[in-house]
Amino acid sequence: MEPSEIEKLIRTGIPDAVIDLTDLVGDKDHWAATITSSEFIGKTKLQQHQIVYKALGASMGGPLHALQLTTQAPK
């Protein structure tokens, strides 16, 4: 999955997301993502991750095989 596709999906669900993606092994289906959004304020890490997974929808587990996720609210 291309990084631009991943970013587009995340931004559709989380419009103010600041996204940093890293292809972990060079195969475009194992990614690390750091996402910062005001959507995460007051939410637990589990809730934050659920917001991201909801935005990614059916891509998770399909073309996007693995995602190492770090989420945070803006400082």
Side-chain angles (χ1 to χ4, degrees):
M1 191 168 191
E2 294 297 325
S4 60
E5 294 175 65
I6 298 168
E7 288 186 21
K8 181 180 175 185
L9 288 170
I10 293 171
R11 284 213 174 85
T12 297
I14 311 168
D16 76 333
V18 176
I19 304 162
D20 180 37
L21 286 172
T22 304
D23 186 347
L24 293 174
V25 293
D27 63 2
K28 295 188 180 176
D29 68 350
H30 292 80
W31 292 92
T34 300
I35 303 169
T36 304
S37 171
S38 61
E39 288 262 337
F40 301 149
I41 295 172
K43 305 268 191 318
T44 66
K45 286 295 180 188
L46 176 61
Q47 291 168 324
Q48 294 173 14
H49 289 204
Q50 288 171 333
I51 292 167
V52 175
Y53 292 138
K54 182 178 179 184
L56 292 168
S59 296
M60 239 359 266
L64 182 55
H65 178 72
L67 180 64
Q68 178 184 321
L69 189 56
T70 302
T71 54
Q72 59 192 11
K75 295 180 182 182

